[in-house]
Amino acid sequence: MFNKRTKIKELLQSAKTDIPCTVMGWVRTFRNNQFIALNDGSTNNNIQVVVALGAFPDETLKRITTGACIKASGTLIASVGKGQTVELKADEIEILGDSDAEKFPLQPKKHSLEFLREIAHLRFRTNTFGAVFRVRHALAFAIHEFFNRKGFVYLHTPIITASDAEGAGEMFKVTTLPLDGTAPKNEDGSINFKEDFFGRSTNLTVSGQLEGELAAMAFSDIYTFGPTFRAENSNTARHLAEFWMIEPEMAFYDLEDNMNLAEEFIRHIIKYALTHNREDLEFLAQRLEEEEKQKPQQDRSEMGLIEKLEFVVNNDFERVTYTEAIEILRESNHNKKKKFQYLIEGWGIDLQSEHERYLVEKHFKKPVILSNYPKEIKAFYMRQNDDGKTVAAMDILAPGIGEIVGGSQREERLDKLMERMNEMHIPAEELDWYLDTRRFGACKHAGFGLGFERLVLFVTGMTNIRDVIPFPRFPKSASF
Ligand code: ATP
Ligand code: MN
């Protein structure tokens, strides 16, 4: 057996000393030919491995370089140096993998996030990304735990789909037809997808919601948690071409039930991270504080990361209708002084991210749930309100992020749904399977979609979505 070692996290918390132990990990630094800072990813903290002078041949010492992988065995002792309570006095050191110090791109100094993005295959070995991806893991775990405790069924919806009716975003095509111009064509010159692998045109999914609704009509409560793909050419710090989405769908829920669940869900997940990832969050809070110092005073956030997360856990979200939000925005000094790029003139426009951020960051200073949007700017499946103008939609907006959740009560009335599809030129034949849920035992139901990376952004205080997914996909980039 090779893996007879103790993880560094466990050793650092050890109450016992003077015990034999073995660690394995990657060298962060090697000081004075004596002190190795070793990390194995179990925690951001390194264990100090002390190499007694003269105990090892020069040949070995030379190979202890930043990035090298080593195994060290010896005795765990109480540390006399400051910065750690225990350290490992090494009797044996084995180099498991060399790392050429001249060529290893990660030096023991501060690198920019942009540079680290270019070496995303190595950035896990930095403190920042170590913390980010341990937190990401914990959030994913907490999400499953939350729904499991409530009796939701985890549903795997398809990744390849033929329905592109939702219009949530531009889609990526999936095909095995040749791309060299020899693909079979119809008489009108268009590609004949009947000859394609699935016998029809297919895409990568933009959302699992429609399939989720089918299952909710049997299990009552389901959720999906999987990858979604949008070929949107938006080069923003909040959009990815491949991202993970959590989509719960609940029978017997109206819009208010839906908002209550979404709010409880977000607060619970954040609380989980505050309890289980304290060390990493404190590190990230400090990182953010330093980053904020680079900004002009008026752009700095008033709260630190931990403070902000605690604030969200302890305070109700603000709930306002779209109509109320438009009033607030129109009457704002910001609008009157023409500081918005898109000025708010009347009811009916889609809110831009500058408007969302104004509401959340300047006006309410807390997460906001906006509801009852004009039907023209929302999807066909959202339940039509009695006013004939709005639908039972809700978006949750978070400080620093903008939209984090989009959801709605679904239209369960077959006639209303078909009427709306007709108006929006969505062919009913293609969604016959979806409409069946309205034919056989329809009921009030609702659901929402939460972009996982936007949640990770919020919790970690990172500012670019490309830094919270291991290998980001965005326009002109699919490396690794
Ligand atoms: P936005 O207006 O920010 O583009 P959207 O209205 O297109 O969002 P929905 O279709 O409602 O978003 O998707 C549900 C959730 O998925 C959003 O609230 C957001 O958290 C997340 N999301 C949407 N598009 C992306 C993307 N390209 N990258 C990462 N997350 C996304
Ligand atoms: Mn979008």
Side-chain angles (χ1 to χ4, degrees):
M1 192 173 106
F2 182 65
N3 193 13
K4 262 185 127 175
R5 56 135 186 181
T6 312
K7 289 204 173 174
I8 290 170
K9 180 176 182 178
E10 197 185 320
L11 283 182
L12 293 177
Q13 289 166 354
S14 171
K16 277 197 263 171
T17 50
D18 301 315
I19 46 171
C21 65
T22 297
V23 292
M24 298 185 203
W26 293 269
V27 175
R28 287 286 171 86
T29 58
F30 186 28
R31 262 189 318 118
N32 302 344
N33 254 354
Q34 229 185 331
F35 304 108
I36 307 170
L38 196 70
N39 191 282
D40 67 0
S42 57
T43 159
N44 246 356
N45 298 318
N46 306 320
I47 193 159
Q48 173 154 287
V49 178
V50 186
V51 178
L53 285 171
F56 297 95
D58 266 2
E59 265 319 294
T60 307
L61 297 181
K62 255 192 248 155
R63 293 168 66 197
I64 304 174
T65 51
T66 298
C69 186
I70 69 166
K71 173 180 176 181
S73 302
T75 313
L76 188 73
I77 56 169
S79 175
V80 287
K82 61 173 175 19
Q84 67 269 331
T85 54
V86 290
E87 61 190 27
L88 179 75
K89 191 159 125 301
D91 302 325
E92 266 176 71
I93 286 181
E94 189 185 332
I95 312 288
L96 301 177
D98 286 290
S99 170
D100 185 337
E102 300 281 293
K103 297 197 180 125
F104 186 58
L106 289 173
Q107 295 305 317
K109 64 159 193 168
K110 213 168 153 47
H111 293 289
S112 75
L113 295 174
E114 290 75 17
F115 169 72
L116 293 173
R117 222 171 280 148
E118 287 168 21
I119 51 161
H121 56 305
L122 296 171
R123 67 179 176 171
F124 297 122
R125 295 200 213 167
T126 64
N127 285 332
T128 297
F129 289 95
V132 165
F133 290 114
R134 271 189 302 273
V135 170
R136 182 180 166 114
H137 155 77
L139 295 175
F141 186 83
I143 286 166
H144 286 299
E145 193 232 36
F146 175 85
F147 286 122
N148 185 51
R149 189 165 44 82
K150 287 194 174 289
F152 280 57
V153 168
Y154 176 28
L155 188 81
H156 295 108
T157 48
I159 289 173
I160 298 175
T161 140
S163 73
D164 68 349
E166 206 197 328
E170 284 300 306
M171 306 187 107
F172 289 101
K173 276 220 121 33
V174 175
T175 180
T176 53
L177 291 176
L179 299 174
D180 59 4
T182 61
K185 299 225 165 62
N186 296 313
E187 272 169 21
D188 64 2
S190 61
I191 305 279
N192 180 5
F193 286 104
K194 287 208 175 68
E195 301 283 317
D196 202 352
F197 189 92
F198 295 106
R200 61 194 299 179
S201 157
T202 49
N203 309 292
L204 292 178
T205 185
V206 289
S207 153
Q209 180 206 316
L210 300 189
E211 290 90 352
E213 283 186 54
L214 312 179
M217 294 298 110
F219 298 108
S220 305
D221 300 323
I222 65 97
Y223 71 106
T224 73
F225 188 167
T228 32
F229 308 86
R230 296 189 186 177
E232 41 201 3
N233 210 352
S234 40
N235 242 316
T236 77
R238 300 178 304 114
H239 288 90
L240 289 162
E242 176 182 292
F243 65 99
W244 289 66
M245 184 146 64
I246 296 109
E247 294 180 278
E249 193 67 39
M250 297 74 63
F252 321 119
Y253 267 53
D254 66 10
L255 187 66
E256 194 188 349
D257 297 320
N258 201 24
M259 293 195 239
N260 293 346
L261 180 76
E263 187 170 339
E264 182 192 345
F265 171 68
I266 293 174
R267 305 238 298 257
H268 174 85
I269 303 302
I270 293 176
K271 202 159 144 189
Y272 181 96
L274 281 169
T275 323
H276 294 84
N277 298 79
R278 199 68 191 194
E279 202 176 83
D280 284 328
L281 289 180
E282 275 165 10
F283 173 84
L284 290 165
Q286 214 177 354
R287 190 206 70 83
L288 184 64
E289 202 180 303
E290 271 157 39
E291 192 183 271
E292 290 266 306
K293 281 185 199 150
Q294 318 292 322
K295 294 185 188 166
Q297 189 79 45
Q298 76 268 19
D299 294 346
R300 292 185 201 165
S301 61
E302 289 162 26
M303 285 186 225
L305 180 63
I306 306 262
E307 241 182 317
K308 179 188 81 174
L309 297 176
E310 277 168 352
F311 180 85
V312 171
V313 168
N314 296 325
N315 289 279
D316 288 343
F317 295 5
E318 194 71 38
R319 298 187 185 192
V320 283
T321 64
Y322 166 90
T323 306
E324 288 160 350
I326 288 288
E327 268 320 294
I328 293 169
L329 289 166
R330 191 170 50 195
E331 295 307 315
S332 69
N333 277 334
H334 220 73
N335 197 50
K336 289 181 180 153
K337 288 188 189 152
K338 299 199 180 352
K339 281 195 190 154
F340 287 128
Q341 193 185 345
Y342 296 90
L343 293 179
I344 300 278
E345 268 136 22
W347 193 92
I349 61 137
D350 203 357
L351 297 181
Q352 302 292 325
S353 102
E354 57 174 344
H355 305 132
E356 297 180 345
R357 296 188 68 159
Y358 178 86
L359 287 171
V360 173
E361 287 157 31
K362 296 270 178 336
H363 190 81
F364 291 113
K365 298 184 195 276
K366 52 153 71 170
V368 175
I369 312 185
L370 282 184
S371 60
N372 298 311
Y373 283 78
K375 64 179 182 190
E376 281 74 22
I377 58 173
K378 289 290 180 186
F380 73 92
Y381 50 71
M382 298 191 177
R383 196 175 197 279
Q384 295 161 54
N385 289 327
D386 293 340
D387 62 11
K389 290 180 355 194
T390 61
V391 287
M394 62 121 180
D395 280 4
I396 302 186
L397 315 176
I401 312 282
E403 181 183 332
I404 189 161
V405 162
S408 67
Q409 185 176 337
R410 319 305 188 191
E411 183 57 82
E412 82 282 12
R413 298 162 296 188
L414 183 64
D415 52 336
K416 291 266 184 194
L417 182 59
M418 290 189 68
E419 190 185 297
R420 189 76 191 122
M421 286 169 72
N422 200 19
E423 281 167 16
M424 294 172 78
H425 308 290
I426 296 167
E429 323 74 83
E430 272 191 29
L431 287 178
D432 211 45
W433 49 272
Y434 179 70
L435 294 173
D436 263 359
T437 53
R438 276 63 173 174
R439 294 185 181 113
F440 309 117
C443 67
K444 268 190 204 306
H445 64 291
F448 61 85
L450 174 134
F452 186 48
E453 285 74 19
R454 297 217 182 147
L455 180 69
V456 183
L457 265 184
F458 186 72
V459 175
T460 58
M462 299 296 283
T463 39
N464 193 316
I465 199 162
R466 296 168 189 181
D467 294 333
V468 298
I469 189 165
F471 302 108
R473 270 84 182 94
F474 52 93
K476 301 280 177 285
S477 179
S479 308
F480 313 106

